[in-house]
Amino acid sequence: MQAGRLDETLRNKLDMLSLLSNDPVLISALDDFVKRPTPLNKKTMQEDLSEELGDVAGIRSVFIATATGTVVASTDQTFLGTDVRAEDYFKRGIQAN
C-alpha cells in the first residue's frame, strides 16, 4: 500500500515538473537569457521561475542550470552560482539531450 502511494506521489511530482518545463513564460525567459545573458534577463528568469513554482503545490524548489552546469536561476537563492556538473541528475539530463 505504501509503495503504491509513493509511486503515485512521485508520478504527480513528475507531472508537475513536466508542466513547468513546458511553460511558455519560463521557456521565453530562458530563451531570452540564453540569447542575451544580461543581469535584467537573469532577474526576469528568476522572477518568472519563482512565480510559476508558486502555482505548483508540493515542490519546494526548482533551479535552472546552464549546459555547463552553473545554476543561473533558482527558487532557493542558496543554489545560485552552484556548479552541478558532477551531479548524477545533471549528467543524465545532458546525456538525454
Side-chain angles (χ1 to χ4, degrees):
M1 182 69 167
Q2 288 286 17
R5 288 176 46 196
L6 179 60
D7 285 344
E8 181 180 345
T9 299
L10 290 174
R11 274 194 301 279
N12 288 339
K13 301 294 184 214
L14 287 173
D15 288 346
M16 287 184 238
L17 287 174
S18 179
L19 289 173
L20 275 176
S21 70
N22 292 303
D23 184 285
V25 172
L26 289 176
I27 291 169
S28 176
L30 181 57
D31 188 50
D32 287 346
F33 178 75
V34 168
K35 289 178 182 172
R36 293 173 306 283
T38 65
L40 178 59
N41 285 343
K42 184 176 182 177
K43 182 177 185 280
T44 300
M45 182 175 54
Q46 179 73 33
E47 289 169 353
D48 289 344
L49 180 63
S50 293
E51 183 177 316
E52 294 300 314
L53 186 63
D55 296 334
V56 179
I59 297 178
R60 290 180 290 185
S61 64
V62 172
F63 63 82
I64 296 172
T66 64
T68 58
T70 302
V71 175
V72 293
S74 176
T75 56
D76 181 341
Q77 300 297 306
T78 60
F79 285 116
L80 290 175
T82 300
D83 183 348
V84 294
R85 281 181 298 195
E87 301 295 336
D88 287 338
Y89 56 81
F90 181 79
K91 292 175 186 177
R92 285 191 308 269
I94 291 294
Q95 290 171 353
N97 289 319

